[in-house]
Amino acid sequence: MVLLVLLVVVCAVGCCSASSLQPIGPLPNSVGFLTVGDWGDVEAKKVADSMGDWAQRMDAKAVLSLGDLFYEDGVSGVDDPQFTDKFEQTFTAPSLQVPWITCTGNHDWYGGVESIDAELQYTHRSPRWHFPALNFTYTLHGPGGLRVLVASVDTWLLCGGDSFTYFEREGPPDDAHPGRLKVYLKNKRRLEDEYDAGTIDEGKYRALSRLDEKPPPPTPLAGPVGNIGNATSVAAAGEGRDDGGLDGRMLQWLRDELRKSDADWKIVIGHFTIYSSSLFEHGDNPTLIERLVPVLKEGGVDVYFNGHDHILQHIVRDGIHYIGSGAGARVHHMANRFYEGLKYAHLSHFGYTAHSVNKTHFQGSFHLEDGREVYSFLFSKPAAGSRQAEAAEVVE
């Protein structure tokens, strides 16, 4: 068994070595954008310059910002200097002065609702920070009436927290506030054991240690918690889920947005992985596979972008492309080359993705901190009413 695991890991690293590629450019009559996740630390300065170069080359009209915006535990308020240090003074290229379409990550939630509220409020401080609600849509426009729908979903809320944390409602509803919620650490002993075993780093350990410990109740909590973005919702504690609660309302909101959209392409962004080839990190998310994937299929979603696992990866399942771009300021070193539907994964480097989309084709490329393109792909729009099981043409 140990030999088999080592073979899978070694092969994954082998498949992730840089390819010799001709750099791509924008498609005809297209709109361009970049994606980067898990960028909320000083290491993001390593990718910022080359992101600016590729944003200019692709004539990018937006950056999809995929959560974990500020390590290790979000921000303390809208005046927190991290907004300046880690965002405004990091991504300085003129080509990056475009809307940053944002979703939260688990590290943003580790700072509690104060952190999330500040990130929402910063939308009114910065002309490019676009985070008006925890769940929202944004449309990219291109030549000839081209429209690309981007739906941002808070996957930490959708999952009721993560393996270390959960949330409960506090007090009566307050529709003027993004959420009457409190974030708790589930089990401090488990946190200490995992830190001692080396499965989590010191930064995450310190951030989680600051949370109050409270074991989650055995059943989901019910009751209104106020208006959290577009999802006026009910808190679900621990791993529990309830169709009439938070996740049910969020999923219904997403169904409705996807159903009423006649955009040429439909994209959903969230921080958590749904499918992932990463080993000894986060990997697959059973909750999102069970709950979110059917909504993506029903709504005709073409691409789901995520961060969370600190690699670059491209997976195709049932005609939907799952693109992981979680290497903005963190890296990981192990993945499973033989993971079902995996087209490509790149490990051990900081990086991001660049895309060009027109009415008929969707193009993407993976880039490292020095701007090198290590992978590119192109797929066509599936015929109306059908899903292509194998829609990717890999260009290597």
Side-chain angles (χ1 to χ4, degrees):
M1 180 62 71
V2 172
L3 289 176
L4 176 60
V5 171
L6 287 175
L7 176 63
V8 170
V9 173
V10 169
C11 288
V13 172
C15 85
C16 297
S17 58
S19 303
S20 177
L21 300 176
Q22 290 291 343
I24 63 173
L27 295 171
N29 301 313
S30 64
V31 63
F33 62 92
L34 270 58
T35 81
V36 63
D38 303 71
W39 53 261
D41 214 339
V42 294
E43 287 84 358
K45 293 182 182 294
K46 297 178 180 179
V47 301
D49 287 345
S50 67
M51 281 182 63
D53 294 340
W54 274 97
Q56 181 177 13
R57 180 179 297 187
M58 304 302 285
D59 191 22
K61 302 303 183 186
V63 176
L64 307 188
S65 173
L66 304 173
D68 279 2
L69 313 173
F70 299 103
Y71 287 104
E72 290 286 339
D73 52 357
V75 290
S76 59
V78 73
D79 295 314
D80 193 311
Q82 290 185 94
F83 283 112
T84 298
D85 298 341
K86 294 181 180 178
F87 179 61
E88 303 290 0
Q89 293 183 357
T90 293
F91 302 101
T92 57
S95 58
L96 296 177
Q97 308 307 303
V98 295
W100 282 57
I101 314 306
T102 296
C103 63
T104 66
N106 50 298
H107 281 271
D108 303 297
W109 273 104
Y110 292 165
V113 293
E114 295 81 9
S115 171
I116 302 302
D117 190 33
E119 291 179 3
L120 290 166
Q121 290 179 32
Y122 197 68
T123 297
H124 306 293
R125 293 281 190 95
S126 171
R128 57 175 168 154
W129 183 272
H130 190 81
F131 187 33
L134 295 180
N135 306 282
F136 65 93
T137 60
Y138 184 93
T139 301
L140 290 166
H141 295 273
L146 171 67
R147 289 176 299 123
V148 180
L149 177 74
V150 180
S152 176
V153 176
D154 192 311
T155 51
W156 187 87
L157 282 176
L158 192 57
C159 292
D162 57 34
S163 57
F164 290 103
T165 62
Y166 76 103
F167 60 90
E168 288 185 356
R169 64 182 174 88
E170 284 198 331
D174 182 356
D175 289 337
H177 195 265
R180 302 277 293 177
L181 304 175
K182 182 172 175 61
V183 181
Y184 289 102
L185 176 66
K186 292 178 181 178
N187 188 318
K188 189 169 184 178
R189 176 62 183 272
R190 180 196 167 195
L191 174 68
E192 292 171 345
D193 289 345
E194 297 218 15
Y195 175 62
D196 291 341
T199 56
I200 61 172
D201 61 28
E202 183 177 356
K204 186 171 184 177
Y205 171 76
R206 286 190 283 105
L208 290 171
S209 295
R210 288 193 282 268
L211 296 173
D212 292 335
E213 181 185 22
K214 184 178 181 181
T219 57
L221 298 179
V225 297
N227 187 343
I228 49 175
N230 283 331
T232 301
S233 58
V234 176
E239 301 300 323
R241 299 182 297 277
D242 184 331
D243 277 343
L246 176 78
D247 61 337
R249 297 190 184 205
M250 290 175 66
L251 290 171
Q252 189 58 52
W253 168 84
L254 182 58
R255 285 191 191 96
D256 292 343
E257 293 297 318
L258 295 173
R259 183 184 301 116
K260 70 185 184 184
S261 173
D262 59 356
D264 298 287
W265 299 89
K266 297 179 183 179
I267 292 171
V268 173
I269 66 171
H271 179 64
F272 283 173
T273 58
I274 296 180
Y275 299 107
S276 176
S277 66
S278 187
L279 291 171
F280 308 109
E281 199 177 17
H282 302 106
D284 289 358
N285 186 308
T287 298
L288 296 183
I289 292 173
E290 174 191 349
R291 309 282 286 173
L292 185 54
V293 168
V295 178
L296 303 184
K297 291 180 178 179
E298 175 189 329
V301 169
D302 300 289
V303 184
Y304 175 81
F305 285 102
N306 64 268
H308 204 41
D309 278 347
H310 301 145
I311 64 176
L312 303 175
Q313 59 182 329
H314 178 198
I315 296 163
V316 183
R317 293 280 190 97
D318 298 322
I320 299 176
H321 294 252
Y322 298 89
I323 299 176
S325 181
R330 292 286 189 273
V331 297
H332 186 66
H333 308 289
M334 289 177 281
N336 177 6
R337 177 184 180 182
F338 304 106
Y339 184 85
E340 181 183 350
L342 179 66
K343 298 299 179 183
Y344 187 82
H346 197 96
L347 315 179
S348 304
H349 290 92
F350 301 112
Y352 54 94
T353 75
H355 302 274
S356 178
V357 182
N358 63 20
K359 285 271 191 178
T360 58
H361 289 84
F362 193 111
Q363 176 182 271
S365 53
F366 291 3
H367 301 271
L368 307 187
E369 58 262 41
D370 60 4
R372 261 186 308 149
E373 177 187 314
V374 293
Y375 170 70
S376 63
F377 63 91
L378 179 73
F379 64 91
S380 59
K381 183 70 179 176
S386 70
R387 302 298 300 176
Q388 295 178 338
E390 195 71 21
E393 174 190 345
V394 177
V395 183
E396 295 183 303

